[in-house]
Short mmCIF file of all heavy atoms in Angstrom, two decimals:
data_model
loop_
_atom_site.label_atom_id
_atom_site.label_comp_id
_atom_site.label_asym_id
_atom_site.label_seq_id
_atom_site.Cartn_x
_atom_site.Cartn_y
_atom_site.Cartn_z
N VAL A 295 -2.95 23.76 14.84
CA VAL A 295 -2.16 22.55 15.08
C VAL A 295 -0.83 22.93 15.71
O VAL A 295 -0.42 24.10 15.67
CB VAL A 295 -1.88 21.77 13.77
CG1 VAL A 295 -3.16 21.26 13.13
CG2 VAL A 295 -1.09 22.64 12.77
N GLU A 296 -0.14 21.93 16.26
CA GLU A 296 1.23 22.15 16.72
C GLU A 296 2.12 22.18 15.49
O GLU A 296 2.15 21.23 14.71
CB GLU A 296 1.65 21.02 17.66
CG GLU A 296 3.08 21.15 18.17
CD GLU A 296 3.50 19.95 19.01
OE1 GLU A 296 2.61 19.29 19.59
OE2 GLU A 296 4.72 19.69 19.08
N ILE A 297 2.83 23.29 15.29
CA ILE A 297 3.62 23.43 14.07
C ILE A 297 4.85 22.53 14.09
O ILE A 297 5.58 22.46 15.07
CB ILE A 297 4.04 24.90 13.86
CG1 ILE A 297 2.78 25.77 13.65
CG2 ILE A 297 4.96 25.03 12.65
CD1 ILE A 297 3.06 27.24 13.53
N MET A 298 5.08 21.81 12.99
CA MET A 298 6.22 20.91 12.85
C MET A 298 6.50 20.75 11.36
O MET A 298 5.67 21.06 10.51
CB MET A 298 5.94 19.55 13.48
CG MET A 298 4.63 18.89 13.05
SD MET A 298 4.69 18.05 11.44
CE MET A 298 5.65 16.63 11.88
N ASP A 299 7.70 20.26 11.04
CA ASP A 299 8.03 19.98 9.64
C ASP A 299 8.89 18.72 9.52
O ASP A 299 9.56 18.50 8.52
CB ASP A 299 8.73 21.17 8.99
CG ASP A 299 10.01 21.56 9.71
OD1 ASP A 299 10.40 20.86 10.66
OD2 ASP A 299 10.62 22.57 9.31
N ASP A 300 8.85 17.87 10.54
CA ASP A 300 9.60 16.62 10.51
C ASP A 300 8.61 15.48 10.27
O ASP A 300 7.76 15.19 11.12
CB ASP A 300 10.34 16.39 11.84
CG ASP A 300 11.04 15.05 11.89
OD1 ASP A 300 11.18 14.41 10.82
OD2 ASP A 300 11.43 14.63 12.98
N PHE A 301 8.71 14.83 9.13
CA PHE A 301 7.75 13.79 8.77
C PHE A 301 8.36 12.39 8.81
O PHE A 301 7.89 11.47 8.15
CB PHE A 301 7.17 14.08 7.39
CG PHE A 301 6.30 15.31 7.37
CD1 PHE A 301 6.84 16.54 7.02
CD2 PHE A 301 4.97 15.24 7.73
CE1 PHE A 301 6.05 17.68 7.01
CE2 PHE A 301 4.17 16.37 7.74
CZ PHE A 301 4.70 17.60 7.37
N HIS A 302 9.43 12.24 9.61
CA HIS A 302 10.07 10.93 9.74
C HIS A 302 9.60 10.17 10.99
O HIS A 302 10.13 9.11 11.29
CB HIS A 302 11.60 11.10 9.84
CG HIS A 302 12.25 11.49 8.55
ND1 HIS A 302 12.65 12.78 8.28
CD2 HIS A 302 12.54 10.77 7.44
CE1 HIS A 302 13.19 12.83 7.06
NE2 HIS A 302 13.13 11.63 6.54
N THR A 303 8.61 10.70 11.71
CA THR A 303 8.26 10.15 13.01
C THR A 303 7.16 9.09 12.94
O THR A 303 6.11 9.31 12.32
CB THR A 303 7.80 11.27 13.96
OG1 THR A 303 8.82 12.26 14.04
CG2 THR A 303 7.52 10.73 15.35
N GLU A 304 7.42 7.95 13.60
CA GLU A 304 6.39 6.95 13.82
C GLU A 304 5.88 7.15 15.24
O GLU A 304 6.58 6.86 16.21
CB GLU A 304 6.95 5.53 13.65
CG GLU A 304 5.91 4.44 13.85
CD GLU A 304 6.49 3.04 13.76
OE1 GLU A 304 7.70 2.88 14.01
OE2 GLU A 304 5.73 2.10 13.46
N TYR A 305 4.66 7.65 15.40
CA TYR A 305 4.16 8.02 16.72
C TYR A 305 3.72 6.82 17.55
O TYR A 305 3.96 6.76 18.76
CB TYR A 305 2.98 8.99 16.58
CG TYR A 305 3.34 10.30 15.95
CD1 TYR A 305 2.80 10.68 14.72
CD2 TYR A 305 4.21 11.19 16.56
CE1 TYR A 305 3.11 11.89 14.13
CE2 TYR A 305 4.54 12.40 15.99
CZ TYR A 305 3.99 12.75 14.76
OH TYR A 305 4.31 13.95 14.18
N LEU A 306 2.98 5.89 16.95
CA LEU A 306 2.39 4.77 17.68
C LEU A 306 1.58 5.28 18.87
O LEU A 306 1.54 4.70 19.94
CB LEU A 306 3.48 3.79 18.17
CG LEU A 306 4.33 3.15 17.07
CD1 LEU A 306 5.43 2.30 17.69
CD2 LEU A 306 3.47 2.33 16.12
N ASP A 307 0.92 6.41 18.65
CA ASP A 307 0.17 7.08 19.70
C ASP A 307 -0.92 7.92 19.04
O ASP A 307 -0.98 8.02 17.81
CB ASP A 307 1.12 7.97 20.53
CG ASP A 307 0.57 8.28 21.92
OD1 ASP A 307 -0.60 7.94 22.18
OD2 ASP A 307 1.30 8.88 22.72
N LEU A 308 -1.75 8.56 19.84
CA LEU A 308 -2.84 9.38 19.32
C LEU A 308 -2.32 10.74 18.87
O LEU A 308 -2.69 11.80 19.39
CB LEU A 308 -3.94 9.53 20.37
CG LEU A 308 -4.73 8.25 20.66
CD1 LEU A 308 -5.65 8.45 21.86
CD2 LEU A 308 -5.54 7.81 19.44
N VAL A 309 -1.44 10.70 17.90
CA VAL A 309 -0.82 11.90 17.32
C VAL A 309 -0.75 11.69 15.81
O VAL A 309 -0.47 10.58 15.35
CB VAL A 309 0.60 12.15 17.87
CG1 VAL A 309 1.16 13.45 17.31
CG2 VAL A 309 0.60 12.16 19.39
N VAL A 310 -1.01 12.74 15.03
CA VAL A 310 -0.95 12.61 13.59
C VAL A 310 -0.31 13.86 12.97
O VAL A 310 -0.46 14.97 13.49
CB VAL A 310 -2.37 12.40 13.00
CG1 VAL A 310 -3.22 13.65 13.17
CG2 VAL A 310 -2.32 11.96 11.55
N SER A 311 0.44 13.66 11.89
CA SER A 311 1.04 14.77 11.15
C SER A 311 0.17 15.09 9.94
O SER A 311 -0.39 14.18 9.32
CB SER A 311 2.45 14.40 10.68
OG SER A 311 3.30 14.11 11.76
N ILE A 312 0.10 16.38 9.60
CA ILE A 312 -0.72 16.80 8.45
C ILE A 312 0.09 17.74 7.56
O ILE A 312 0.76 18.64 8.05
CB ILE A 312 -2.01 17.52 8.91
CG1 ILE A 312 -2.79 16.64 9.90
CG2 ILE A 312 -2.90 17.85 7.71
CD1 ILE A 312 -3.99 17.35 10.53
N LYS A 313 -0.01 17.50 6.25
CA LYS A 313 0.71 18.34 5.29
C LYS A 313 -0.15 18.51 4.04
O LYS A 313 -0.89 17.59 3.66
CB LYS A 313 2.05 17.70 4.92
CG LYS A 313 2.87 18.53 3.93
CD LYS A 313 4.14 17.80 3.51
CE LYS A 313 4.91 18.60 2.47
NZ LYS A 313 6.12 17.87 2.01
N LEU A 314 -0.05 19.67 3.39
CA LEU A 314 -0.76 19.92 2.14
C LEU A 314 0.16 19.68 0.95
O LEU A 314 1.36 19.95 1.02
CB LEU A 314 -1.29 21.35 2.09
CG LEU A 314 -2.15 21.82 3.27
CD1 LEU A 314 -2.73 23.20 2.98
CD2 LEU A 314 -3.26 20.82 3.58
N VAL A 315 -0.41 19.14 -0.13
CA VAL A 315 0.35 18.89 -1.36
C VAL A 315 -0.46 19.37 -2.55
O VAL A 315 -1.69 19.47 -2.49
CB VAL A 315 0.69 17.40 -1.53
CG1 VAL A 315 1.66 16.92 -0.45
CG2 VAL A 315 -0.57 16.53 -1.52
N ASP A 316 0.23 19.63 -3.65
CA ASP A 316 -0.46 20.15 -4.84
C ASP A 316 -1.31 19.10 -5.54
O ASP A 316 -2.40 19.38 -6.02
CB ASP A 316 0.57 20.70 -5.85
CG ASP A 316 0.97 22.13 -5.53
OD1 ASP A 316 0.19 22.83 -4.85
OD2 ASP A 316 2.07 22.54 -5.95
N ASP A 317 -0.77 17.88 -5.63
CA ASP A 317 -1.46 16.84 -6.40
C ASP A 317 -0.95 15.46 -6.01
O ASP A 317 -0.12 15.33 -5.09
CB ASP A 317 -1.26 17.08 -7.90
CG ASP A 317 0.21 17.27 -8.27
OD1 ASP A 317 1.10 16.75 -7.54
OD2 ASP A 317 0.50 17.94 -9.28
N VAL A 318 -1.41 14.45 -6.73
CA VAL A 318 -1.02 13.08 -6.41
C VAL A 318 0.47 12.86 -6.62
O VAL A 318 1.10 12.09 -5.89
CB VAL A 318 -1.86 12.07 -7.23
CG1 VAL A 318 -1.51 12.14 -8.72
CG2 VAL A 318 -1.65 10.65 -6.71
N LYS A 319 1.05 13.55 -7.59
CA LYS A 319 2.50 13.38 -7.84
C LYS A 319 3.32 13.84 -6.64
O LYS A 319 4.28 13.17 -6.25
CB LYS A 319 2.90 14.15 -9.10
CG LYS A 319 2.41 13.53 -10.40
CD LYS A 319 2.89 14.32 -11.61
CE LYS A 319 2.54 13.60 -12.91
NZ LYS A 319 1.13 13.33 -13.08
N GLU A 320 2.95 14.98 -6.05
CA GLU A 320 3.68 15.46 -4.88
C GLU A 320 3.43 14.53 -3.68
O GLU A 320 4.35 14.28 -2.88
CB GLU A 320 3.25 16.88 -4.52
CG GLU A 320 4.12 17.47 -3.40
CD GLU A 320 3.75 18.91 -3.05
OE1 GLU A 320 2.94 19.53 -3.79
OE2 GLU A 320 4.26 19.42 -2.02
N ALA A 321 2.23 13.99 -3.59
CA ALA A 321 1.94 13.03 -2.50
C ALA A 321 2.82 11.79 -2.65
O ALA A 321 3.39 11.30 -1.67
CB ALA A 321 0.46 12.65 -2.54
#
Side-chain angles (χ1 to χ4, degrees):
V295 296
E296 179 184 335
I297 296 176
M298 51 80 73
D299 58 5
D300 176 14
F301 292 93
H302 288 102
T303 304
E304 181 183 25
Y305 296 116
L306 300 176
D307 202 352
L308 291 172
V309 184
V310 68
S311 300
I312 306 173
K313 181 184 177 183
L314 306 187
V315 293
D316 276 337
D317 51 27
V318 68
K319 288 182 173 57
E320 187 178 351

